[in-house]
Amino acid sequence: MKILFENCTLPLSGGACFAVEGEFFVPARPPYDRRVDLGGACVLPAFPDAHSHILAYALSLLQADGAACSTAQDFLAAAEAFAREQGLGQGELVTVKNAQALPEQGALDSARPIHVQHVSGHAGVFNAAALRLLGLPADMGIAQEKTYLAATKRVPMPAFEAVGRTFQAAQRAYLAHGMTTAQEGFLSREMFPLYRRLLAEAPPLPDIVAFPSPDSYDEACRLFCAAPRFCIGGVKIFLDGSPQLKTALLREPYEGGGMGAQEMTPAQVYEACRFAAARGAQLLAHCNGDGAARILLGALARLCAKGRRAIRPVLIHAQILGDDQLDEMARLGAIPSFFPAHVLHWGDTHLKNLGRMRAQRISPARSALERGIPFTLHQDTPVCAPDPLEGARCAVQRRTASGEDFSCQAIGAREALIALTQNAAAQYGDARKGRIAPGCRADFVVMEGDPLDDLNSARVAATWLRGAPVYERTAQPRRP
């Protein structure tokens, strides 16, 4: 069936109509089987998710929310309220997510096992009951980075039926925000059995692109080669931590001292690059600080140009970068994927940790734009909601929660939307997505309001995937 969508505006491609036949956009030439009047609505390409963790988001829907907690008693109360709501037994562990600051372990004294996770996902604390339950050292205290991630692998997985429900809910949330391609930003080997079962139960609605570590990449490709709408997109490595926790690796010290956490040696990073190049696999590198970026760029410079093109390297987060490093990224063909929501949510923390000059440059999108670097924007869900338009607003407005002005790196609304659409598709190397043009896949969003005119009020009214409606704001998502 050939459908003409008319009476609309296409701000990124121009025109007032477009046509869809089957799963693809086609030239808007008659005859048509059906005509749809969009009432003057703004239409954008759907948003390929530049970086998030969709399964972690699904699991977070089975955790207590500690965003409003400030004391140990607040966390204890949140855990108990959640346990009552979910009907959990006294010996069952409760994870409290979104902690802005972690309480001391001793202050979480309770018969119930409790795990409090920092909002960054890079640190957490387990009370004594949780340490005993998980077989962790009694003196662990607040754990960060590798120590913390290793500890979380011992946290029991919720019942499969519950995970299945929230995995479907996570997909609906992504579609409701206009994302028809989702990312599994780190597919650990421990996640393989769960993902295989989830995919066997029902194919996902959006495409899901996953990135395992180099040591499990080959196994992941073998296990998921035939999975519907789920593919292995490349490899993921972690070079440092988080700037909120002062664990992002810097070239110059934090205010008060410390250089951050180095998670890989230069030799290990280079070997990961060589591994990816040998397989023609994309390389995603978690690099928050300029010290981490220095290591990665050094490894990329050692690769031949053909190897760099093969791995299409992406600096995930790319929060703290110098202009000299952006110049080097332009030369090496590296893509920064910025996390501009940091400005709103943690910009005031960065002022304390980094000082004004470095903090104001967090996610330096304007400097990248001036150099012609095709950057993307992401939300790192579940750290932030799966709402790409929030990322666009933060990239354009660049104000902290207290009102501090970080506009020295602000970009325009059009540039932000291009980063979320065309550039995000290019990051994946997928020419079928990110544009409303004949031959591209018919993934698009109908907007309420015009994001070029007012990003604050614009929101997704409907999402179409593969030429079929999968979300309408007043209706339930449908399976194409």
Side-chain angles (χ1 to χ4, degrees), residues 50-53 120 122 183 185 236-244 248 284-290 292-293 314-321 329 335-342 346 361-365 375-381 383-384 427:
H51 180 65
S52 76
H53 307 266
S120 68
H122 286 253
Q183 189 176 111
K236 174 73 175 292
I237 58 176
F238 293 83
L239 276 73
D240 68 346
S242 162
Q244 305 104 300
L284 267 57
H286 172 111
C287 286
N288 261 312
D290 53 5
V314 182
L315 275 73
I316 295 296
H317 308 323
Q319 297 272 47
I320 304 157
L321 290 173
M329 290 173 68
I335 302 168
S337 185
F338 295 125
F339 189 0
H342 258 255
W346 302 288
R361 279 183 55 89
I362 283 281
S363 292
F375 59 87
T376 64
L377 308 176
H378 67 265
Q379 288 288 92
D380 200 21
T381 304
V383 176
C384 287
Q427 178 181 301

Side-chain angles (χ1 to χ4, degrees), residues 413-463:
R414 181 180 180 84
E415 288 74 29
L417 294 175
I418 288 172
L420 292 174
T421 56
Q422 297 174 28
N423 291 359
Q427 178 181 301
Y428 282 108
D430 194 339
R432 303 170 305 155
K433 300 177 182 178
R435 295 179 297 130
I436 297 177
C440 292
R441 204 174 77 177
D443 295 358
F444 62 94
V445 292
V446 181
M447 301 296 298
E448 180 179 302
D450 183 348
L452 286 183
D453 181 57
D454 184 2
L455 269 170
N456 289 323
S457 62
R459 54 180 174 172
V460 173
T463 303

Side-chain angles (χ1 to χ4, degrees), residues 20-225:
V20 171
E21 186 169 17
E23 295 189 0
F24 297 93
F25 296 114
V26 295
R29 293 195 292 263
Y32 305 109
D33 300 296
R34 180 184 165 202
R35 301 170 82 103
V36 176
D37 187 329
L38 292 175
C42 173
V43 179
L44 298 171
F47 309 122
D49 171 24
H51 180 65
S52 76
H53 307 266
I54 187 170
L55 181 57
Y57 177 62
L59 294 173
S60 77
L61 301 178
L62 296 169
Q63 298 168 348
D65 192 351
C69 297
S70 58
T71 68
Q73 289 305 311
D74 292 339
F75 288 108
L76 290 169
E80 289 302 332
F82 182 81
R84 287 193 300 272
E85 176 186 310
Q86 300 294 319
L88 301 180
Q90 186 63 31
E92 294 186 75
L93 182 142
V94 172
T95 291
V96 184
K97 64 185 177 183
N98 292 334
Q100 294 291 339
L102 293 171
E104 292 297 326
Q105 181 200 81
L108 289 173
D109 187 32
S110 170
R112 174 178 301 286
I114 295 174
H115 160 217
V116 178
Q117 183 179 63
H118 189 265
V119 66
S120 68
H122 286 253
V125 61
F126 300 85
N127 71 354
L131 293 173
R132 289 192 297 270
L133 177 69
L134 303 178
L136 294 169
D139 60 350
M140 173 175 278
I142 293 175
Q144 294 186 356
E145 304 305 340
K146 286 183 177 179
T147 301
Y148 174 65
L149 295 176
T152 60
K153 292 180 180 180
R154 301 195 183 196
V155 174
M157 188 66 67
F160 176 77
E161 292 73 17
V163 177
R165 288 194 302 273
T166 58
F167 189 60
Q168 293 297 320
Q171 294 175 52
R172 292 194 294 270
Y174 276 58
L175 293 171
H177 287 101
M179 288 190 286
T180 55
T181 300
Q183 189 176 111
E184 186 51 72
F186 180 58
L187 180 68
S188 68
R189 184 175 274 111
E190 290 79 9
M191 295 160 66
F192 290 180
L194 178 56
Y195 251 117
R196 295 192 74 192
R197 189 173 175 187
L198 288 169
L199 296 172
E201 290 280 324
L205 278 168
D207 297 334
I208 299 178
V209 185
F211 293 83
S213 62
D215 63 2
S216 58
Y217 173 80
D218 292 334
E219 181 183 357
C221 288
R222 177 177 58 81
L223 289 176
F224 296 102
C225 61

